[in-house]
Amino acid sequence: MVVKKARAIVALDRPDARSALDLVERIGKACDFYKVGNELFTAAGPQIVEALRALGKSVFLDLKLHDIPNTVGQAASRASALGVSLLTVHATGGRAMMEAAVKGAGGKCGILAVTILTSLDTSAVRLAWGRARLDLSREVLRLAGQAANAGAHGVVCSGLEASSVKSDYGDRLKLLIPGIRRPGDSRDDQRRTVTPLEAVRSGASYLVLGRTITADPDPAMAMRYVNKMLAPTR
Ligand code: C5P
């Protein structure tokens, strides 16, 4: 089987525009796709998206929206006008909310539905959802089904559930996998982690790389290591 090349996205989890753009400069040509999340967007606003676009970089706006359909639809419309390629919403916001996001994005930016955060394990999800019995993988699959029915571009899940999502919905959904760790890295606050190679082999279209790259003293070299893992494989 030929596996298509996955795209690596570095998470610019930085407190301000200057430190984010410093990191982009240090990584240089090794990465052309960056994630702007809640920390950086709150500090630096839409201008950071414009600055990244001006450098020729693609942008994933990871706001993980979860609100009423009208609000999320309008936010998706504003995000797509900024020129971002991908935007996240929470799948648990419901089908109408996801449909509103897809409609608001108007085909210009892909809506990704977050299934269950990679920082949560089964016991944390059981506690949060008030369910004594719950199979986390089955819930991820159920939410992926709703995202597919709402017309989402893809879903965010951990590498541990990716193969089953891929086999059930691979023709309709792209997979974005965060919680990536190189062998030997600390897991930090993440719980459901995989290596870059495992993520690629499970069928990811996009890998989100945070501290495994950004906390490395030489982020460009760390990125080149990951890029080698992303080369198309047979
Ligand atoms: O540093 P680390 O690799 O743990 O960062 C993961 C990044 O991916 C963070 O920016 C986090 O917001 C994001 N993310 C995640 N889990 C999801 C979706 C996004 O960890 N389900």
Side-chain angles (χ1 to χ4, degrees):
M1 183 181 67
V2 178
V3 178
K4 269 210 201 140
K5 195 174 185 326
R7 294 195 71 184
I9 305 175
V10 169
L12 291 175
D13 292 329
R14 286 287 185 268
D16 52 50
R18 177 180 292 205
S19 59
L21 294 171
D22 277 353
L23 182 58
V24 171
E25 196 181 328
R26 288 182 70 201
I27 296 174
K29 289 188 180 145
C31 182
D32 63 1
F33 208 154
Y34 286 92
K35 178 173 99 82
V36 174
N38 282 308
E39 179 186 5
L40 183 59
F41 197 69
T42 303
Q47 293 85 345
I48 188 65
V49 175
E50 284 162 22
L52 290 165
R53 298 290 297 126
L55 292 170
K57 308 296 184 185
S58 298
V59 178
F60 163 29
L61 191 57
D62 185 25
L63 298 184
K64 296 191 179 71
L65 301 171
H66 191 158
D67 208 319
I68 61 170
N70 181 59
T71 302
V72 169
Q74 297 297 347
S77 174
R78 301 292 90 76
S80 79
L82 284 178
V84 307
S85 304
L86 299 171
L87 171 73
T88 41
V89 303
H90 272 287
T92 47
R95 180 167 172 174
M97 190 206 76
M98 288 189 274
E99 283 172 348
V102 171
K103 192 171 170 209
K108 282 184 276 178
C109 102
I111 297 297
L112 297 174
V114 178
T115 55
I116 296 180
L117 294 168
T118 46
S119 54
L120 300 172
D121 58 17
T122 300
S123 62
V125 177
R126 283 181 180 165
L127 200 60
W129 294 9
R131 301 246 308 264
R133 284 175 213 279
L134 169 147
D135 180 333
L136 193 150
S137 308
R138 200 171 297 158
E139 295 299 327
V140 167
L141 217 49
R142 184 180 62 76
L143 291 166
Q146 293 189 8
N149 290 337
H153 171 68
V155 289
V156 182
C157 64
S158 91
L160 304 182
E161 304 93 37
S163 305
S164 51
V165 176
K166 181 87 181 169
S167 74
D168 283 15
Y169 298 105
D171 53 337
R172 292 159 74 188
L173 295 172
K174 304 278 183 205
L175 301 186
L176 179 142
I177 302 185
I180 307 285
R181 292 293 182 272
R182 287 174 293 162
D185 278 347
S186 157
R187 280 199 311 172
D188 308 302
D189 54 349
Q190 297 282 15
R191 289 295 167 266
R192 300 181 350 265
T193 60
V194 291
T195 66
L197 196 55
E198 286 167 338
V200 172
R201 288 194 170 150
S202 66
S205 292
Y206 309 100
L207 271 63
V208 166
L209 304 148
R211 286 162 284 190
T212 192
I213 301 294
T214 59
D216 194 288
D218 187 343
M221 199 165 80
M223 200 57 221
R224 285 194 288 273
Y225 164 86
V226 171
N227 285 338
K228 271 192 208 146
M229 305 290 135
L230 300 192
T233 50
R234 274 176 196 277

